Amino acid sequence: MEVLEAIRTRRSIRKYKSDPVDDKTLETVLEAARQAPSWANTQCWHFVVVRNAETKGKLSDTLNDTNPARDAVRNAPLVIVACAEKGKSGHKDGEPVTDKGDWFMFDVALAMQNLVLAARSLGLGTVYIGRFEAREVDRILSVPDGYCAVAMTPLGYPDETKEPRPRKELGEIVHYDKWNDK
Ligand SMILES: Cc1cc2nc3c(=O)[nH]c(=O)nc-3n(C[C@H](O)[C@H](O)[C@H](O)COP(=O)(O)O)c2cc1C
């Protein structure tokens, strides 16, 4: 699938078939994440692949009852938790070099976007999940000090088709030469 087609047709998928994801397919999406750019090539990301049903259940419980992705974390064949090493991205000699502090959220997002688009191109579904008890996830997965869980996604074959969600028009978000009110 062409990259533009994958971008255009990706949807957040929250219902998954029980069909497993084979190791080669999993490696292809992880490889896409690995190829992402990052601050000074620091590659602060790590990915924890969870297939164990009990652990998926525990991860699911870190999402609150109202999070629409809660059941997907429990039921998808696997879950990928993206973690970051802190104090690397956006840093030089241990100090942040911009007013924005640690850029790990940015770099992990780039890797995750590669991952979800690769997944889409292989017919797999994903949904970014950012709202969960991250400290609890760190504990469940034994994430070491200096690292933190940032985001997760279930990975599996979609068991639903989704209509596109609305997006702002380009005219609302693009400015030429300077920021101008339309
Ligand atoms: C950083 C981030 C965090 C998100 N967190 C959640 C979440 O906790 N639960 C959930 O169901 N969806 C979550 N989403 C999915 C968004 O709701 C979804 O991407 C958005 O509504 C657009 O829909 P689409 O992905 O189908 O285009 C998150 C998306 C992003 C980018």
Side-chain angles (χ1 to χ4, degrees):
M1 187 186 284
E2 290 287 333
V3 68
L4 290 176
E5 176 75 357
I7 290 169
R8 197 178 58 76
T9 60
R10 183 210 53 82
R11 305 275 171 271
S12 290
I13 298 299
R14 299 183 180 86
K15 291 197 171 72
Y16 292 86
K17 295 180 175 156
S18 57
D19 305 7
V21 177
D22 66 57
D23 288 347
K24 189 167 179 301
T25 305
L26 173 62
E27 190 179 324
T28 302
V29 301
L30 292 170
E31 176 64 19
R34 188 176 80 94
Q35 294 296 342
S38 61
W39 188 287
N41 206 25
T42 39
Q43 305 166 69
C44 69
W45 45 62
H46 283 251
F47 303 93
V48 182
V49 178
V50 178
R51 291 190 197 270
N52 178 275
E54 190 184 339
T55 310
K56 283 189 293 175
K58 287 181 186 167
L59 291 177
S60 171
D61 290 342
T62 69
L63 280 61
N64 67 23
D65 299 350
T66 58
N67 194 317
R70 189 175 153 104
D71 289 345
V73 173
R74 191 177 302 274
N75 298 330
L78 64 89
V79 177
I80 298 173
V81 182
C83 304
E85 183 175 6
K86 294 184 271 188
K88 295 288 178 198
S89 182
H91 284 63
K92 189 162 174 51
D93 301 326
E95 295 297 324
V97 295
T98 72
D99 66 351
K100 304 201 171 50
D102 202 321
W103 280 66
F104 71 77
M105 299 290 280
F106 192 97
D107 285 356
V108 168
L110 294 175
M112 285 294 273
Q113 185 67 357
N114 273 13
L115 186 152
V116 305
L117 292 177
R120 169 65 195 144
S121 75
L122 296 168
L124 289 158
T126 56
V127 54
Y128 289 112
I129 302 171
R131 189 169 180 195
F132 55 84
E133 293 295 332
R135 295 263 166 76
E136 183 60 11
V137 170
D138 291 346
R139 198 190 60 73
I140 293 165
L141 301 179
S142 303
V143 175
D145 287 348
Y147 296 75
C148 61
V150 175
M152 65 176 93
T153 179
L155 185 72
Y157 293 93
D159 200 18
E160 63 177 347
T161 50
K162 300 286 290 290
E163 291 301 314
R165 299 214 62 203
R167 296 294 196 259
K168 293 178 183 176
E169 298 298 332
L170 282 181
E172 295 177 77
I173 58 172
V174 179
H175 309 265
Y176 291 98
D177 295 326
K178 65 174 188 172
W179 191 300
N180 44 2
D181 291 329
K182 307 270 166 8

